[in-house]
Each structure stands twice: as C-alpha cells, then as structure tokens.
Amino acid sequence: MIKDSLIAEVTYYINKQANGAHPKLPIIIVEKCLHHDLDICFAMAQTELETNYGTLGAGRETSKRSLFGVGVYKGSKHKGYPNYEIAVEEYILLLKSRYLSNTRTEQTLLKKYTTKTGSRYAGSMSYEVDLRKIYNRIRTNTNIYNTQLRYDEKFS
C-alpha cells in the first residue's frame, strides 16, 4: 500500500515535470531506491537535473538511456544502457561503491558531490546548488520523502 502510494506520487511528479518520460520510469526508480535504501527524492533530483527524466540528451530512450549522466562526458566512449532498469541499478551501485558510506549520505553529496577520494561527480561548479534546488522543491512540493520514511519504518 505504501509502495503504491510512492509510485503514484513519483509518477504524478515526473509526468508534471517531463512530458514524454518513459511510463515505467517511476516504478523503476521507486523499486530500485527502496531495494537499495536510497533517498528517492535524491535520485529524482539528479535525473531531473541531468536528463529531465530521460527526455533530454543521453537519457533519451533513443540515445544512451543514461538518466543520471553516468559515463557521459567529453571523450567518453560509454555506449549506454540496454534499458532504464539497468541504468538506474548501475547508478545506485556507483553511488554506493564510490560516493556513499556510513558517514557519507545523500545529504553529504548535496553539499559536496565528490567520491570518497575527492573527485567531483560533475564538472559544473554549481552542480550541488542546482541539485539542492531541485531536491528541495521535490521534498517541499510532494510527500515522497515522508512516505519513504514510513515505508522504511514499516519494513526495517
């Protein structure tokens, strides 16, 4: 029931922000984030910033399906992902292996988005500011964050 509410709210938000987003994208984001204990609002903010939920640039289904800009930079030979499920899964695994730890959370990355060794995620020096704006808008204008907390409490 809580998961269905999350999917409905994420679907509503994404459809409002991005005309033409893949219809299964909200389900994929919710299921993968819940499975990996990742803040759904954070993942949404990043894909909104990078590719507007797969409607722009390398995030498009006809392109590389790199929703989060993973592997897409000048000189990159990244071939893309076969589907959005793998793109979201690989993004989360990248975050967990190179960026997040017991002391480094999504909130840490909103302030300074660097790897555990200090390398920046993005070249833009305003990346964190832009990401925070979107993240805060999602948290303020939806119940996604609080609903995810309720889900986590119920299934922890």
Side-chain angles (χ1 to χ4, degrees):
M1 210 59 176
I2 297 173
K3 185 175 170 183
D4 293 337
S5 295
L6 272 169
I7 291 169
E9 183 125 18
V10 170
T11 300
Y12 177 77
Y13 182 87
I14 290 174
N15 287 341
K16 197 167 94 174
Q17 296 298 317
N19 186 23
H22 191 283
K24 291 189 179 182
L25 187 57
I27 297 166
I28 294 167
I29 289 173
V30 168
E31 288 182 348
K32 295 291 183 183
C33 287
L34 291 178
H35 178 76
H36 290 285
D37 194 28
L38 187 76
D39 182 345
I40 294 169
C41 295
F42 181 84
M44 289 175 63
Q46 192 158 16
T47 189
E48 184 173 324
L49 177 60
E50 291 284 349
T51 66
N52 198 39
Y53 301 100
T55 63
L56 301 172
R60 291 186 315 253
E61 195 164 11
T62 57
S63 186
K64 297 178 185 234
R65 293 187 189 90
S66 186
L67 295 166
F68 306 92
V70 174
V72 180
Y73 50 88
K74 190 174 182 176
S76 167
K77 296 186 193 294
H78 188 267
K79 292 190 168 101
Y81 299 99
N83 58 57
Y84 285 131
E85 191 166 328
I86 291 172
V88 174
E89 180 79 17
E90 298 239 341
Y91 159 76
I92 292 172
L93 293 176
L94 175 72
L95 283 181
K96 289 188 151 264
S97 66
R98 296 193 58 209
Y99 293 86
L100 299 172
S101 68
N102 290 339
T103 59
R104 293 176 51 87
T105 66
E106 294 92 325
Q107 295 301 312
T108 306
L109 299 181
L110 287 170
K111 294 175 187 147
K112 188 175 181 184
Y113 206 138
T114 59
T115 63
K116 295 173 192 174
T117 60
S119 300
R120 288 188 55 74
Y121 183 89
S124 169
M125 297 313 284
S126 67
Y127 193 82
E128 291 86 349
V129 171
D130 298 337
L131 186 61
R132 266 193 316 274
K133 284 180 187 174
I134 297 168
Y135 178 84
N136 289 333
R137 185 181 69 233
I138 295 169
R139 286 238 355 224
T140 301
N141 297 327
T142 72
N143 292 317
I144 295 166
Y145 185 82
N146 290 329
T147 304
Q148 184 175 7
L149 287 178
R150 283 196 348 259
Y151 179 91
D152 291 344
E153 288 170 3
K154 185 172 182 175
F155 294 104
S156 294

